[in-house]
Amino acid sequence: MNAKLELARREANYTRYQPGQTAGHYESFFQRANHPTLPLAFWIRYTLFSPNRHPDKAIGELWAVFFDGETGRHVAVKTETPVERCTFKRDDFFVKIDEAQLGPGRLAGSAASGGHALTWNLTFAGDAQPLFLLPLNLYKTGFPKAKSLVGLPLARFNGSLSVDGETIEVVDWVGSQNHNWGAKHTDAYAWGQVAGFDTHPESFLEVATARIKIGPIWTPPLTLLVLRHRGNEIALNTLTQALRAKGSFDYFTWRFHSETASVRVEGAISAAREAFVGLSYYNPPGGSKHCLNTKIAACELKVVRKTSSRLSAPEILSTRQRAAFEILTDNRGHGIAVRA
């Protein structure tokens, strides 16, 4: 095996933050999964936030959202804890924020705010290798400033949630365990993930369209895409490919297209306004970003294989309500209530 890839896999969930560093930093470990058949999903996020030049103000943030597409009543909570009461290990996969813990195969904790409360006691398992949305060499560079990876694609969760006192049994909900970090949040992005399509339960999609502001200049949309399908990984994620690809999104609909000499992948992710919750993310350089977040979106993906002589028939992968869909924006006119 490639030594760099082996090392990257082994360290996928090691914390990158160095305690006391003066450079601003955020780092999140989030878990999410969908009910096998119903429009129900959870998202639980353990975050370290340290503002630029103020490591003394570093905190741990604990987020939890339960999406209920049956009733339309989504519950979102967040708590903040001084970093002195947190553990983020740099040489192992272990996170603790107050009494909430996360490590290999298990997460447990609780959070409450705004008159709502969520508690979780969950196990997760799977045999998929980590998935890297960026080329490996970019995880060691200053560009882009935000990094992300999937520590465990197609993770299978079991256990229970308590949502405002109501117990939700989690039995073989499929999702993922994820890790992201950086010196600042991406200026604007759409991010999506499907952990098992309705039509192809073993396929996994990770995709993002981002725009980055360099001084006063905005880059064109950059679209990165990795699809694991039929035992192969289609990685359309070099910077050159990201520039060639197409991606456009508004608040509730996103279309993307990436193509090489051997394959074309195009897709759409969408959800109704009512499927989203608004969250406010502190940004290490200052200020905050709004994240419009749903885990019960629809996705349709078209994959076309190409050879020197012909194109294959398009293969359609789809899900009605199992896609993750997030938009990060500075615009405050989106009309989504910020819940946490």
Side-chain angles (χ1 to χ4, degrees):
M1 182 190 296
N2 180 294
K4 290 183 178 178
L5 177 58
E6 185 177 10
L7 179 64
R9 287 174 173 175
R10 186 167 64 248
E11 297 181 348
N13 282 315
Y14 290 8
T15 299
R16 271 52 176 188
Y17 176 74
Q18 298 186 38
Q21 70 177 60
T22 57
H25 189 85
Y26 75 90
E27 189 153 4
S28 293
F29 298 83
F30 74 87
Q31 294 61 234
R32 67 102 185 169
N34 294 83
H35 186 282
T37 59
L38 301 176
L40 307 175
F42 67 81
W43 175 84
I44 299 169
R45 184 177 188 250
Y46 295 66
T47 295
L48 184 149
F49 172 76
S50 182
N52 194 36
R53 296 191 299 275
H54 290 284
D56 55 306
K57 296 181 180 178
I59 58 172
E61 301 174 316
L62 196 58
W63 308 71
V65 182
F66 183 73
F67 295 91
D68 188 337
E70 293 188 303
T71 66
R73 294 191 296 270
H74 315 308
V75 175
V77 296
K78 178 196 177 187
T79 61
E80 298 181 2
T81 301
V83 76
E84 292 78 17
R85 298 211 305 267
C86 304
T87 301
F88 289 82
K89 287 197 172 183
R90 287 177 46 81
D91 58 357
D92 198 2
F93 178 23
F94 181 78
V95 176
K96 185 172 182 288
I97 298 178
D98 265 345
E99 297 306 311
Q101 296 189 25
L102 166 67
R106 185 167 187 268
L107 63 153
S110 62
S113 65
H116 297 284
L118 271 79
T119 300
W120 55 94
N121 189 357
L122 299 164
T123 62
F124 62 94
D127 57 9
Q129 292 289 351
L131 181 151
F132 299 94
L133 182 60
L134 296 168
L136 282 185
N137 64 300
L138 292 184
Y139 286 91
K140 300 294 187 181
T141 68
F143 181 87
K145 292 185 181 296
K147 320 290 188 185
S148 68
L149 59 84
V150 186
L152 183 59
L154 296 174
R156 194 171 293 273
F157 289 80
N158 286 278
S160 64
L161 305 167
S162 174
V163 183
D164 286 341
E166 178 186 355
T167 298
I168 309 293
E169 297 297 334
V170 175
V171 180
D172 287 339
W173 292 26
V174 177
S176 59
Q177 179 271 312
N178 307 264
H179 183 196
N180 56 54
W181 67 92
K184 63 176 288 191
H185 288 293
T186 302
D187 295 290
Y189 70 63
W191 169 83
Q193 185 186 90
V194 180
F197 290 81
D198 299 346
T199 55
H200 299 79
E202 300 306 314
S203 295
F204 188 95
L205 172 69
E206 181 88 353
V207 59
T209 295
R211 296 189 70 201
I212 299 169
K213 196 173 185 181
I214 303 172
I217 306 300
W218 284 89
T219 67
L222 304 167
T223 295
L224 302 149
L225 183 153
V226 179
L227 173 66
R228 289 184 176 171
H229 179 54
R230 298 195 183 280
N232 297 310
E233 181 169 288
I234 301 170
L236 306 179
N237 63 347
T238 66
L239 290 181
T240 300
Q241 183 64 33
L243 279 165
R244 290 175 178 162
K246 306 295 183 184
S248 62
F249 57 90
D250 55 26
Y251 289 133
F252 314 116
T253 303
W254 173 22
R255 297 186 179 277
F256 48 88
H257 174 283
S258 192
E259 184 170 2
T260 68
S262 60
V263 68
R264 180 170 74 234
V265 181
E266 56 187 276
I269 297 178
S270 63
R273 177 191 298 269
E274 294 74 24
F276 288 86
V277 299
L279 306 172
S280 182
Y281 288 177
Y282 299 141
N283 205 14
S288 62
K289 314 283 288 187
H290 278 189
C291 177
L292 313 184
N293 188 321
T294 183
K295 298 297 177 281
I296 50 173
C299 176
E300 182 171 288
L301 203 66
K302 182 188 295 185
V303 181
V304 177
R305 305 280 185 171
K306 300 156 68 175
T307 68
S308 57
S309 59
R310 65 183 180 85
L311 302 179
S312 70
E315 189 171 13
I316 306 299
L317 291 68
S318 66
T319 181
R320 288 189 307 113
Q321 59 199 24
R322 297 182 54 79
F325 183 15
E326 297 180 11
I327 292 171
L328 200 73
T329 180
D330 285 323
N331 194 324
R332 300 302 191 249
H334 47 72
I336 302 295
V338 174
R339 306 282 192 90

